[in-house]
Amino acid sequence: MSEHVMLEHGGRVRAAAQRYGIPENDWLDLSTGINPNGWPVPAVPQEIWQHLPQDDDELHAAAQNYYGTSRLLAVAGSQAAIQALPRLRPPARVALVAPSYAEHAHAWLRHGHQVMPMSAAEILDIGDSVQVAVIVNPNNPSGRLFHRDELLRLHERLVARGGWFIVHEASMDAAPEHSLAAVSPQAGLVVLRSVGKFFGLAGARVGFVLAEQKLLHALAALLGPWPIAAPSRYATTLALRDSAWQQQTRQALAQAAQRLSGLLTRHGLPPDGGCGLFQWVCCSDAVRVHQQLAQRGILTRLFEQPHSVRFGLPRDETQWARLTAALSELQR
Amino acid sequence: MSEHVMLEHGGRVRAAAQRYGIPENDWLDLSTGINPNGWPVPAVPQEIWQHLPQDDDELHAAAQNYYGTSRLLAVAGSQAAIQALPRLRPPARVALVAPSYAEHAHAWLRHGHQVMPMSAAEILDIGDSVQVAVIVNPNNPSGRLFHRDELLRLHERLVARGGWFIVHEASMDAAPEHSLAAVSPQAGLVVLRSVGKFFGLAGARVGFVLAEQKLLHALAALLGPWPIAAPSRYATTLALRDSAWQQQTRQALAQAAQRLSGLLTRHGLPPDGGCGLFQWVCCSDAVRVHQQLAQRGILTRLFEQPHSVRFGLPRDETQWARLTAALSELQR
């Protein structure tokens, strides 16, 4: 992929390895919000690799059951929907929370829309000139959780003027009671989900768009046949059905999040927000904290506006111990 | 995927099962041109599923070595390129061989281009009003093979007027000496390859665009990040490197193609064309032949213009015996 189209994602361990002179395999990567103990994928049968993906396999049924809604479309990660949705409307004024996941603004700008970055408080009170609002819930990196009622009020105002309300629930699976999935489909409501974070299947490139059938038809036509690899459909179907794993994982993530928050607090880095998959720490010396951890081979995600560091979850006790030791050695 | 966007692909066994009252698992599916003995994919390591696909993994290097060219872009199957290329030119007159793979015409029409279907002879002699020519080589279903020299002459004429020559080499791997891959990159030349047919990895959704860097950059920007699943990148990298398997498979496919051609000929269905992966039989009673085989649970691909049946390769001796028996019982 050419560099000029890529926002800053991934490949971060490789870059850090070069910058800090530490071999790639020696890093503890806490720079993502991906569950480090993802759903364990079994070997994929050869016939799944062999044949074209079948749209009438069991993926949609498994997803309908998991998300609790009848109308959805499987796409090649929520990224595919983020790129396609701006192509399905004439130029509009689009309100987005900033900072947040940057691909949303990038995609709307690219297709001639006017993007209005605003705070979480502002977006809940947007004026009549806005046709589309995009919220990541819980937001990333802040972890700020919008409540269903405030989101539904915002949706109501947007749909009254023929607008769309897009809520990207990338990290919602750890606390699904806050999701709008179960109230979907509704006119003008678009909920984006994926199996990248909670299920730890970011490599599979499977996401879902929950929306009205008319919008899903238009999206499907735009995306064309076979956007998702057959092994990814296979693995995702099984993961979505594994409710025992999901329940254990929700508990484990809640405990891990609490543990990470406590650990950071004890080391002078009390989180300003977070969710089941990451903790977010604002501090004026964020660069220094990020660099000192990197010098010990621990990669976090650094943000500049505001100065902050995001911590993903360690995978096991060895990784917890390594993070604890590095935090103890911080010089600020 | 919504039905209104789907040309007739896949799901054919399911439809045939319903139509002929034969359970899906009892069918011998010869309706595809996919190698029934595809590259055997090992279990994919969990960390591959876990992380976002990395554009700087080893896939591009493996593909550069396999195709013998330095400039290429991995895409989510050649279908992704077929859909995107028409978006990278202002409306043009586009010449295509008909009949052929229908997605090409569909994609160009959809983006406002004028599509001119023509015969194989006509396309080699197109007038100056055409800016883009698309050829599937070997063609499907006819198996007609265009020779490098005639294709390069056509390319030369198109590029002189700022045009594009797109050659879709979906079934080329069985006889790669006819490929234009090794003469790529050249201005205005676009070669599409994939691992669906020869490698039997249609489920992986991995293809390659071989073209000038400028075009690849524009295409990458359009397609966005992570179009290919990480397990698919992993499997394809290994398959492209397995030259021993490739060599054995070329020999095995050549023998199987000859065997299938002979078998069909002995049963009054001499092929009018074919390649390493399928044989094509024109006959006025094509519908009857197709139906009689289907009544015996053998699915072939029926074409109406011209009346013809395409036969893929049986996988093993059991399947060969079953096809032989069914052909012996044909009543015409």
PDB file of all heavy atoms in Angstrom, chain A residues 2 5 14 35 39 46 49-50 54-56 87 110 203 217 221 230, chain B residues 1-2 5 14 35 39 46 49-50 56 87 110 203 217 221 230:
ATOM      1  N   SER A   2       0.572   2.163  -0.790  1.00  0.00           N
ATOM      2  CA  SER A   2       1.448   3.332  -0.915  1.00  0.00           C
ATOM      3  C   SER A   2       1.298   4.206   0.318  1.00  0.00           C
ATOM      4  O   SER A   2       0.237   4.320   0.904  1.00  0.00           O
ATOM      5  CB  SER A   2       1.061   4.114  -2.155  1.00  0.00           C
ATOM      6  OG  SER A   2      -0.200   4.674  -1.998  1.00  0.00           O
ATOM      7  N   VAL A   5      -1.395   7.276   1.084  1.00  0.00           N
ATOM      8  CA  VAL A   5      -2.794   7.090   1.445  1.00  0.00           C
ATOM      9  C   VAL A   5      -2.956   6.624   2.883  1.00  0.00           C
ATOM     10  O   VAL A   5      -4.060   6.551   3.393  1.00  0.00           O
ATOM     11  CB  VAL A   5      -3.496   6.047   0.558  1.00  0.00           C
ATOM     12  CG1 VAL A   5      -3.447   6.487  -0.873  1.00  0.00           C
ATOM     13  CG2 VAL A   5      -2.895   4.678   0.717  1.00  0.00           C
ATOM     14  N   ARG A  14       7.471  -2.230  13.792  1.00  0.00           N
ATOM     15  CA  ARG A  14       8.625  -2.229  12.897  1.00  0.00           C
ATOM     16  C   ARG A  14       9.352  -0.883  12.971  1.00  0.00           C
ATOM     17  O   ARG A  14      10.578  -0.830  13.079  1.00  0.00           O
ATOM     18  CB  ARG A  14       8.159  -2.516  11.467  1.00  0.00           C
ATOM     19  CG  ARG A  14       9.285  -2.883  10.522  1.00  0.00           C
ATOM     20  CD  ARG A  14       8.799  -3.740   9.373  1.00  0.00           C
ATOM     21  NE  ARG A  14       8.157  -4.975   9.845  1.00  0.00           N
ATOM     22  CZ  ARG A  14       7.589  -5.878   9.051  1.00  0.00           C
ATOM     23  NH1 ARG A  14       7.574  -5.692   7.750  1.00  0.00           N
ATOM     24  NH2 ARG A  14       7.047  -6.967   9.555  1.00  0.00           N
ATOM     25  N   ASN A  35      -7.754  -7.037  21.772  1.00  0.00           N
ATOM     26  CA  ASN A  35      -7.680  -8.052  22.826  1.00  0.00           C
ATOM     27  C   ASN A  35      -6.484  -8.973  22.558  1.00  0.00           C
ATOM     28  O   ASN A  35      -6.440  -9.642  21.515  1.00  0.00           O
ATOM     29  CB  ASN A  35      -8.988  -8.854  22.824  1.00  0.00           C
ATOM     30  CG  ASN A  35      -9.005  -9.955  23.871  1.00  0.00           C
ATOM     31  OD1 ASN A  35      -8.039 -10.172  24.587  1.00  0.00           O
ATOM     32  ND2 ASN A  35     -10.133 -10.652  23.949  1.00  0.00           N
ATOM     33  N   TRP A  39     -10.060 -14.721  20.098  1.00  0.00           N
ATOM     34  CA  TRP A  39     -10.744 -16.002  19.916  1.00  0.00           C
ATOM     35  C   TRP A  39      -9.811 -16.963  19.165  1.00  0.00           C
ATOM     36  O   TRP A  39      -9.261 -16.602  18.110  1.00  0.00           O
ATOM     37  CB  TRP A  39     -12.041 -15.798  19.120  1.00  0.00           C
ATOM     38  CG  TRP A  39     -12.861 -17.040  19.069  1.00  0.00           C
ATOM     39  CD1 TRP A  39     -13.631 -17.556  20.068  1.00  0.00           C
ATOM     40  CD2 TRP A  39     -12.953 -17.956  17.983  1.00  0.00           C
ATOM     41  NE1 TRP A  39     -14.211 -18.731  19.664  1.00  0.00           N
ATOM     42  CE2 TRP A  39     -13.807 -19.010  18.390  1.00  0.00           C
ATOM     43  CE3 TRP A  39     -12.395 -18.009  16.693  1.00  0.00           C
ATOM     44  CZ2 TRP A  39     -14.123 -20.078  17.563  1.00  0.00           C
ATOM     45  CZ3 TRP A  39     -12.700 -19.082  15.872  1.00  0.00           C
ATOM     46  CH2 TRP A  39     -13.558 -20.099  16.310  1.00  0.00           C
ATOM     47  N   GLN A  46      -9.681 -27.140   3.965  1.00  0.00           N
ATOM     48  CA  GLN A  46      -9.172 -26.785   2.643  1.00  0.00           C
ATOM     49  C   GLN A  46     -10.293 -26.316   1.711  1.00  0.00           C
ATOM     50  O   GLN A  46     -10.096 -25.416   0.895  1.00  0.00           O
ATOM     51  CB  GLN A  46      -8.434 -27.990   2.031  1.00  0.00           C
ATOM     52  CG  GLN A  46      -7.768 -27.723   0.696  1.00  0.00           C
ATOM     53  CD  GLN A  46      -6.542 -26.805   0.808  1.00  0.00           C
ATOM     54  OE1 GLN A  46      -5.927 -26.697   1.857  1.00  0.00           O
ATOM     55  NE2 GLN A  46      -6.194 -26.124  -0.280  1.00  0.00           N
ATOM     56  N   TRP A  49     -10.862 -22.596   1.724  1.00  0.00           N
ATOM     57  CA  TRP A  49      -9.892 -21.835   0.923  1.00  0.00           C
ATOM     58  C   TRP A  49     -10.191 -21.962  -0.569  1.00  0.00           C
ATOM     59  O   TRP A  49      -9.966 -21.047  -1.360  1.00  0.00           O
ATOM     60  CB  TRP A  49      -8.466 -22.346   1.179  1.00  0.00           C
ATOM     61  CG  TRP A  49      -7.887 -21.989   2.511  1.00  0.00           C
ATOM     62  CD1 TRP A  49      -7.804 -22.792   3.624  1.00  0.00           C
ATOM     63  CD2 TRP A  49      -7.287 -20.739   2.887  1.00  0.00           C
ATOM     64  NE1 TRP A  49      -7.202 -22.113   4.647  1.00  0.00           N
ATOM     65  CE2 TRP A  49      -6.868 -20.857   4.230  1.00  0.00           C
ATOM     66  CE3 TRP A  49      -7.065 -19.535   2.211  1.00  0.00           C
ATOM     67  CZ2 TRP A  49      -6.236 -19.813   4.917  1.00  0.00           C
ATOM     68  CZ3 TRP A  49      -6.436 -18.501   2.893  1.00  0.00           C
ATOM     69  CH2 TRP A  49      -6.024 -18.641   4.228  1.00  0.00           C
ATOM     70  N   GLN A  50     -10.669 -23.139  -0.941  1.00  0.00           N
ATOM     71  CA  GLN A  50     -10.824 -23.507  -2.351  1.00  0.00           C
ATOM     72  C   GLN A  50     -11.905 -22.713  -3.081  1.00  0.00           C
ATOM     73  O   GLN A  50     -11.711 -22.296  -4.218  1.00  0.00           O
ATOM     74  CB  GLN A  50     -11.203 -24.999  -2.383  1.00  0.00           C
ATOM     75  CG  GLN A  50     -11.546 -25.569  -3.732  1.00  0.00           C
ATOM     76  CD  GLN A  50     -10.372 -26.263  -4.370  1.00  0.00           C
ATOM     77  OE1 GLN A  50      -9.420 -26.622  -3.691  1.00  0.00           O
ATOM     78  NE2 GLN A  50     -10.420 -26.435  -5.664  1.00  0.00           N
ATOM     79  N   GLN A  54     -19.230 -17.681  -0.061  1.00  0.00           N
ATOM     80  CA  GLN A  54     -20.659 -17.777  -0.372  1.00  0.00           C
ATOM     81  C   GLN A  54     -21.429 -16.797   0.498  1.00  0.00           C
ATOM     82  O   GLN A  54     -21.372 -16.880   1.729  1.00  0.00           O
ATOM     83  CB  GLN A  54     -21.154 -19.197  -0.088  1.00  0.00           C
ATOM     84  CG  GLN A  54     -20.490 -20.259  -0.955  1.00  0.00           C
ATOM     85  CD  GLN A  54     -20.851 -20.122  -2.421  1.00  0.00           C
ATOM     86  OE1 GLN A  54     -22.015 -19.953  -2.760  1.00  0.00           O
ATOM     87  NE2 GLN A  54     -19.854 -20.178  -3.295  1.00  0.00           N
ATOM     88  N   ASP A  55     -22.165 -15.898  -0.148  1.00  0.00           N
ATOM     89  CA  ASP A  55     -22.927 -14.909   0.615  1.00  0.00           C
ATOM     90  C   ASP A  55     -24.046 -15.545   1.431  1.00  0.00           C
ATOM     91  O   ASP A  55     -24.535 -14.944   2.381  1.00  0.00           O
ATOM     92  CB  ASP A  55     -23.539 -13.879  -0.328  1.00  0.00           C
ATOM     93  CG  ASP A  55     -22.462 -13.074  -1.011  1.00  0.00           C
ATOM     94  OD1 ASP A  55     -21.493 -12.707  -0.334  1.00  0.00           O
ATOM     95  OD2 ASP A  55     -22.583 -12.826  -2.213  1.00  0.00           O
ATOM     96  N   ASP A  56     -24.456 -16.732   1.039  1.00  0.00           N
ATOM     97  CA  ASP A  56     -25.546 -17.382   1.771  1.00  0.00           C
ATOM     98  C   ASP A  56     -25.018 -18.448   2.729  1.00  0.00           C
ATOM     99  O   ASP A  56     -25.694 -19.416   3.045  1.00  0.00           O
ATOM    100  CB  ASP A  56     -26.577 -17.965   0.804  1.00  0.00           C
ATOM    101  CG  ASP A  56     -25.947 -18.950  -0.176  1.00  0.00           C
ATOM    102  OD1 ASP A  56     -24.698 -19.080  -0.189  1.00  0.00           O
ATOM    103  OD2 ASP A  56     -26.702 -19.593  -0.923  1.00  0.00           O
ATOM    104  N   ARG A  87     -19.655   7.850  -0.217  1.00  0.00           N
ATOM    105  CA  ARG A  87     -19.988   7.781  -1.645  1.00  0.00           C
ATOM    106  C   ARG A  87     -21.489   7.634  -1.854  1.00  0.00           C
ATOM    107  O   ARG A  87     -21.957   7.690  -2.988  1.00  0.00           O
ATOM    108  CB  ARG A  87     -19.256   6.599  -2.299  1.00  0.00           C
ATOM    109  CG  ARG A  87     -17.743   6.773  -2.328  1.00  0.00           C
ATOM    110  CD  ARG A  87     -17.040   5.524  -2.839  1.00  0.00           C
ATOM    111  NE  ARG A  87     -17.420   5.190  -4.205  1.00  0.00           N
ATOM    112  CZ  ARG A  87     -17.156   4.025  -4.785  1.00  0.00           C
ATOM    113  NH1 ARG A  87     -16.521   3.087  -4.100  1.00  0.00           N
ATOM    114  NH2 ARG A  87     -17.538   3.791  -6.025  1.00  0.00           N
ATOM    115  N   ARG A 110     -12.469  13.234   1.471  1.00  0.00           N
ATOM    116  CA  ARG A 110     -12.058  12.736   0.172  1.00  0.00           C
ATOM    117  C   ARG A 110     -13.178  12.739  -0.861  1.00  0.00           C
ATOM    118  O   ARG A 110     -12.930  12.835  -2.056  1.00  0.00           O
ATOM    119  CB  ARG A 110     -11.585  11.316   0.397  1.00  0.00           C
ATOM    120  CG  ARG A 110     -11.311  10.604  -0.846  1.00  0.00           C
ATOM    121  CD  ARG A 110     -10.757   9.268  -0.477  1.00  0.00           C
ATOM    122  NE  ARG A 110     -10.236   8.757  -1.699  1.00  0.00           N
ATOM    123  CZ  ARG A 110      -9.199   8.007  -1.803  1.00  0.00           C
ATOM    124  NH1 ARG A 110      -8.588   7.635  -0.723  1.00  0.00           N
ATOM    125  NH2 ARG A 110      -8.787   7.620  -2.967  1.00  0.00           N
ATOM    126  N   GLY A 203      -6.898  -9.316  11.886  1.00  0.00           N
ATOM    127  CA  GLY A 203      -6.376  -9.793  10.605  1.00  0.00           C
ATOM    128  C   GLY A 203      -7.455 -10.325   9.672  1.00  0.00           C
ATOM    129  O   GLY A 203      -7.253 -10.401   8.466  1.00  0.00           O
ATOM    130  N   HIS A 217     -28.502  -2.391   0.725  1.00  0.00           N
ATOM    131  CA  HIS A 217     -28.497  -2.757  -0.698  1.00  0.00           C
ATOM    132  C   HIS A 217     -27.549  -1.870  -1.483  1.00  0.00           C
ATOM    133  O   HIS A 217     -26.761  -2.340  -2.305  1.00  0.00           O
ATOM    134  CB  HIS A 217     -29.911  -2.626  -1.282  1.00  0.00           C
ATOM    135  CG  HIS A 217     -30.708  -3.873  -1.164  1.00  0.00           C
ATOM    136  ND1 HIS A 217     -32.010  -3.900  -0.749  1.00  0.00           N
ATOM    137  CD2 HIS A 217     -30.378  -5.164  -1.411  1.00  0.00           C
ATOM    138  CE1 HIS A 217     -32.456  -5.142  -0.741  1.00  0.00           C
ATOM    139  NE2 HIS A 217     -31.481  -5.925  -1.133  1.00  0.00           N
ATOM    140  N   ALA A 221     -24.087  -3.104  -3.342  1.00  0.00           N
ATOM    141  CA  ALA A 221     -23.873  -2.889  -4.775  1.00  0.00           C
ATOM    142  C   ALA A 221     -22.549  -2.176  -5.006  1.00  0.00           C
ATOM    143  O   ALA A 221     -21.801  -2.482  -5.936  1.00  0.00           O
ATOM    144  CB  ALA A 221     -25.022  -2.070  -5.359  1.00  0.00           C
ATOM    145  N   ALA A 230     -13.086 -16.174   2.393  1.00  0.00           N
ATOM    146  CA  ALA A 230     -13.873 -17.288   2.925  1.00  0.00           C
ATOM    147  C   ALA A 230     -13.355 -17.777   4.286  1.00  0.00           C
ATOM    148  O   ALA A 230     -14.165 -18.040   5.184  1.00  0.00           O
ATOM    149  CB  ALA A 230     -13.908 -18.430   1.900  1.00  0.00           C
TER     150      ALA A 230
ATOM    151  N   MET B   1     -24.858 -10.594   0.383  1.00  0.00           N
ATOM    152  CA  MET B   1     -24.766  -9.638  -0.734  1.00  0.00           C
ATOM    153  C   MET B   1     -26.120  -9.606  -1.432  1.00  0.00           C
ATOM    154  O   MET B   1     -26.734 -10.627  -1.682  1.00  0.00           O
ATOM    155  CB  MET B   1     -23.666 -10.117  -1.685  1.00  0.00           C
ATOM    156  CG  MET B   1     -23.222  -9.111  -2.681  1.00  0.00           C
ATOM    157  SD  MET B   1     -22.503  -7.672  -1.895  1.00  0.00           S
ATOM    158  CE  MET B   1     -21.224  -8.471  -0.921  1.00  0.00           C
ATOM    159  N   SER B   2     -26.549  -8.462  -1.756  1.00  0.00           N
ATOM    160  CA  SER B   2     -27.895  -8.350  -2.322  1.00  0.00           C
ATOM    161  C   SER B   2     -27.889  -8.879  -3.748  1.00  0.00           C
ATOM    162  O   SER B   2     -26.918  -8.744  -4.487  1.00  0.00           O
ATOM    163  CB  SER B   2     -28.330  -6.897  -2.311  1.00  0.00           C
ATOM    164  OG  SER B   2     -27.530  -6.157  -3.192  1.00  0.00           O
ATOM    165  N   VAL B   5     -27.098  -6.921  -7.326  1.00  0.00           N
ATOM    166  CA  VAL B   5     -25.767  -6.553  -7.809  1.00  0.00           C
ATOM    167  C   VAL B   5     -24.997  -7.752  -8.316  1.00  0.00           C
ATOM    168  O   VAL B   5     -23.925  -7.613  -8.883  1.00  0.00           O
ATOM    169  CB  VAL B   5     -24.899  -5.913  -6.708  1.00  0.00           C
ATOM    170  CG1 VAL B   5     -25.550  -4.655  -6.202  1.00  0.00           C
ATOM    171  CG2 VAL B   5     -24.631  -6.866  -5.578  1.00  0.00           C
ATOM    172  N   ARG B  14     -25.877 -24.811  -4.756  1.00  0.00           N
ATOM    173  CA  ARG B  14     -27.067 -24.703  -3.923  1.00  0.00           C
ATOM    174  C   ARG B  14     -28.324 -24.602  -4.799  1.00  0.00           C
ATOM    175  O   ARG B  14     -29.315 -25.277  -4.556  1.00  0.00           O
ATOM    176  CB  ARG B  14     -26.930 -23.472  -3.016  1.00  0.00           C
ATOM    177  CG  ARG B  14     -27.911 -23.456  -1.888  1.00  0.00           C
ATOM    178  CD  ARG B  14     -27.401 -22.648  -0.711  1.00  0.00           C
ATOM    179  NE  ARG B  14     -26.130 -23.182  -0.211  1.00  0.00           N
ATOM    180  CZ  ARG B  14     -25.442 -22.646   0.795  1.00  0.00           C
ATOM    181  NH1 ARG B  14     -25.880 -21.559   1.397  1.00  0.00           N
ATOM    182  NH2 ARG B  14     -24.313 -23.190   1.194  1.00  0.00           N
ATOM    183  N   ASN B  35      -8.798 -25.098  -9.909  1.00  0.00           N
ATOM    184  CA  ASN B  35      -8.043 -26.332  -9.711  1.00  0.00           C
ATOM    185  C   ASN B  35      -8.615 -27.080  -8.497  1.00  0.00           C
ATOM    186  O   ASN B  35      -8.606 -26.558  -7.385  1.00  0.00           O
ATOM    187  CB  ASN B  35      -6.571 -25.973  -9.465  1.00  0.00           C
ATOM    188  CG  ASN B  35      -5.697 -27.197  -9.228  1.00  0.00           C
ATOM    189  OD1 ASN B  35      -6.174 -28.327  -9.215  1.00  0.00           O
ATOM    190  ND2 ASN B  35      -4.412 -26.948  -9.045  1.00  0.00           N
ATOM    191  N   TRP B  39      -3.491 -25.582  -3.691  1.00  0.00           N
ATOM    192  CA  TRP B  39      -2.338 -25.575  -2.791  1.00  0.00           C
ATOM    193  C   TRP B  39      -2.824 -25.841  -1.364  1.00  0.00           C
ATOM    194  O   TRP B  39      -3.754 -25.181  -0.889  1.00  0.00           O
ATOM    195  CB  TRP B  39      -1.615 -24.225  -2.871  1.00  0.00           C
ATOM    196  CG  TRP B  39      -0.319 -24.252  -2.111  1.00  0.00           C
ATOM    197  CD1 TRP B  39       0.857 -24.822  -2.514  1.00  0.00           C
ATOM    198  CD2 TRP B  39      -0.086 -23.712  -0.807  1.00  0.00           C
ATOM    199  NE1 TRP B  39       1.805 -24.665  -1.537  1.00  0.00           N
ATOM    200  CE2 TRP B  39       1.255 -23.991  -0.478  1.00  0.00           C
ATOM    201  CE3 TRP B  39      -0.879 -23.034   0.122  1.00  0.00           C
ATOM    202  CZ2 TRP B  39       1.835 -23.606   0.733  1.00  0.00           C
ATOM    203  CZ3 TRP B  39      -0.313 -22.642   1.328  1.00  0.00           C
ATOM    204  CH2 TRP B  39       1.031 -22.924   1.625  1.00  0.00           C
ATOM    205  N   GLN B  46      -2.081 -18.070  15.178  1.00  0.00           N
ATOM    206  CA  GLN B  46      -3.044 -17.173  15.813  1.00  0.00           C
ATOM    207  C   GLN B  46      -2.636 -15.711  15.673  1.00  0.00           C
ATOM    208  O   GLN B  46      -3.493 -14.834  15.510  1.00  0.00           O
ATOM    209  CB  GLN B  46      -3.185 -17.548  17.298  1.00  0.00           C
ATOM    210  CG  GLN B  46      -4.258 -16.754  18.044  1.00  0.00           C
ATOM    211  CD  GLN B  46      -5.689 -17.105  17.618  1.00  0.00           C
ATOM    212  OE1 GLN B  46      -5.940 -18.179  17.098  1.00  0.00           O
ATOM    213  NE2 GLN B  46      -6.618 -16.177  17.824  1.00  0.00           N
ATOM    214  N   TRP B  49      -4.052 -14.003  12.626  1.00  0.00           N
ATOM    215  CA  TRP B  49      -5.453 -13.587  12.762  1.00  0.00           C
ATOM    216  C   TRP B  49      -5.567 -12.332  13.636  1.00  0.00           C
ATOM    217  O   TRP B  49      -6.443 -11.496  13.444  1.00  0.00           O
ATOM    218  CB  TRP B  49      -6.283 -14.701  13.424  1.00  0.00           C
ATOM    219  CG  TRP B  49      -6.553 -15.885  12.550  1.00  0.00           C
ATOM    220  CD1 TRP B  49      -5.897 -17.084  12.562  1.00  0.00           C
ATOM    221  CD2 TRP B  49      -7.559 -15.999  11.541  1.00  0.00           C
ATOM    222  NE1 TRP B  49      -6.437 -17.937  11.622  1.00  0.00           N
ATOM    223  CE2 TRP B  49      -7.464 -17.292  10.992  1.00  0.00           C
ATOM    224  CE3 TRP B  49      -8.549 -15.134  11.045  1.00  0.00           C
ATOM    225  CZ2 TRP B  49      -8.304 -17.755   9.972  1.00  0.00           C
ATOM    226  CZ3 TRP B  49      -9.386 -15.589  10.037  1.00  0.00           C
ATOM    227  CH2 TRP B  49      -9.254 -16.880   9.512  1.00  0.00           C
ATOM    228  N   GLN B  50      -4.685 -12.253  14.620  1.00  0.00           N
ATOM    229  CA  GLN B  50      -4.776 -11.231  15.665  1.00  0.00           C
ATOM    230  C   GLN B  50      -4.511  -9.817  15.160  1.00  0.00           C
ATOM    231  O   GLN B  50      -5.199  -8.876  15.530  1.00  0.00           O
ATOM    232  CB  GLN B  50      -3.716 -11.591  16.726  1.00  0.00           C
ATOM    233  CG  GLN B  50      -3.525 -10.587  17.836  1.00  0.00           C
ATOM    234  CD  GLN B  50      -4.329 -10.972  19.061  1.00  0.00           C
ATOM    235  OE1 GLN B  50      -4.730 -12.114  19.206  1.00  0.00           O
ATOM    236  NE2 GLN B  50      -4.571 -10.021  19.916  1.00  0.00           N
ATOM    237  N   ASP B  56       3.844  -4.325   4.643  1.00  0.00           N
ATOM    238  CA  ASP B  56       5.258  -4.589   4.407  1.00  0.00           C
ATOM    239  C   ASP B  56       5.632  -6.001   4.840  1.00  0.00           C
ATOM    240  O   ASP B  56       6.769  -6.265   5.213  1.00  0.00           O
ATOM    241  CB  ASP B  56       6.129  -3.536   5.109  1.00  0.00           C
ATOM    242  CG  ASP B  56       5.842  -3.476   6.604  1.00  0.00           C
ATOM    243  OD1 ASP B  56       4.880  -4.142   7.065  1.00  0.00           O
ATOM    244  OD2 ASP B  56       6.571  -2.771   7.312  1.00  0.00           O
ATOM    245  N   ARG B  87     -12.915   3.636 -12.256  1.00  0.00           N
ATOM    246  CA  ARG B  87     -13.012   4.879 -11.482  1.00  0.00           C
ATOM    247  C   ARG B  87     -11.776   5.750 -11.668  1.00  0.00           C
ATOM    248  O   ARG B  87     -11.745   6.891 -11.215  1.00  0.00           O
ATOM    249  CB  ARG B  87     -13.181   4.564  -9.990  1.00  0.00           C
ATOM    250  CG  ARG B  87     -14.506   3.877  -9.662  1.00  0.00           C
ATOM    251  CD  ARG B  87     -14.590   3.432  -8.208  1.00  0.00           C
ATOM    252  NE  ARG B  87     -14.495   4.554  -7.279  1.00  0.00           N
ATOM    253  CZ  ARG B  87     -14.254   4.414  -5.974  1.00  0.00           C
ATOM    254  NH1 ARG B  87     -14.064   3.205  -5.465  1.00  0.00           N
ATOM    255  NH2 ARG B  87     -14.192   5.473  -5.196  1.00  0.00           N
ATOM    256  N   ARG B 110     -21.015   0.737 -15.319  1.00  0.00           N
ATOM    257  CA  ARG B 110     -21.467   1.347 -14.082  1.00  0.00           C
ATOM    258  C   ARG B 110     -20.852   2.706 -13.819  1.00  0.00           C
ATOM    259  O   ARG B 110     -21.427   3.541 -13.146  1.00  0.00           O
ATOM    260  CB  ARG B 110     -21.054   0.379 -12.980  1.00  0.00           C
ATOM    261  CG  ARG B 110     -21.232   0.933 -11.659  1.00  0.00           C
ATOM    262  CD  ARG B 110     -20.909  -0.140 -10.671  1.00  0.00           C
ATOM    263  NE  ARG B 110     -21.430   0.363  -9.444  1.00  0.00           N
ATOM    264  CZ  ARG B 110     -21.919  -0.357  -8.493  1.00  0.00           C
ATOM    265  NH1 ARG B 110     -21.924  -1.658  -8.632  1.00  0.00           N
ATOM    266  NH2 ARG B 110     -22.382   0.187  -7.433  1.00  0.00           N
ATOM    267  N   GLY B 203     -11.139 -18.781  -2.276  1.00  0.00           N
ATOM    268  CA  GLY B 203     -11.677 -18.235  -1.038  1.00  0.00           C
ATOM    269  C   GLY B 203     -10.801 -17.168  -0.404  1.00  0.00           C
ATOM    270  O   GLY B 203     -11.275 -16.371   0.403  1.00  0.00           O
ATOM    271  N   HIS B 217      -0.236   3.451  -7.402  1.00  0.00           N
ATOM    272  CA  HIS B 217      -0.449   4.408  -6.312  1.00  0.00           C
ATOM    273  C   HIS B 217      -1.899   4.881  -6.276  1.00  0.00           C
ATOM    274  O   HIS B 217      -2.532   4.926  -5.218  1.00  0.00           O
ATOM    275  CB  HIS B 217       0.466   5.631  -6.473  1.00  0.00           C
ATOM    276  CG  HIS B 217       1.788   5.462  -5.812  1.00  0.00           C
ATOM    277  ND1 HIS B 217       2.978   5.793  -6.413  1.00  0.00           N
ATOM    278  CD2 HIS B 217       2.119   4.993  -4.588  1.00  0.00           C
ATOM    279  CE1 HIS B 217       3.976   5.540  -5.586  1.00  0.00           C
ATOM    280  NE2 HIS B 217       3.479   5.055  -4.478  1.00  0.00           N
ATOM    281  N   ALA B 221      -4.614   4.089  -3.278  1.00  0.00           N
ATOM    282  CA  ALA B 221      -5.307   5.169  -2.565  1.00  0.00           C
ATOM    283  C   ALA B 221      -6.814   4.946  -2.611  1.00  0.00           C
ATOM    284  O   ALA B 221      -7.526   5.165  -1.630  1.00  0.00           O
ATOM    285  CB  ALA B 221      -4.947   6.515  -3.188  1.00  0.00           C
ATOM    286  N   ALA B 230      -5.311 -10.939   6.653  1.00  0.00           N
ATOM    287  CA  ALA B 230      -3.957 -11.372   7.002  1.00  0.00           C
ATOM    288  C   ALA B 230      -3.734 -12.870   6.751  1.00  0.00           C
ATOM    289  O   ALA B 230      -2.690 -13.253   6.213  1.00  0.00           O
ATOM    290  CB  ALA B 230      -3.648 -11.002   8.452  1.00  0.00           C
TER     291      ALA B 230
END
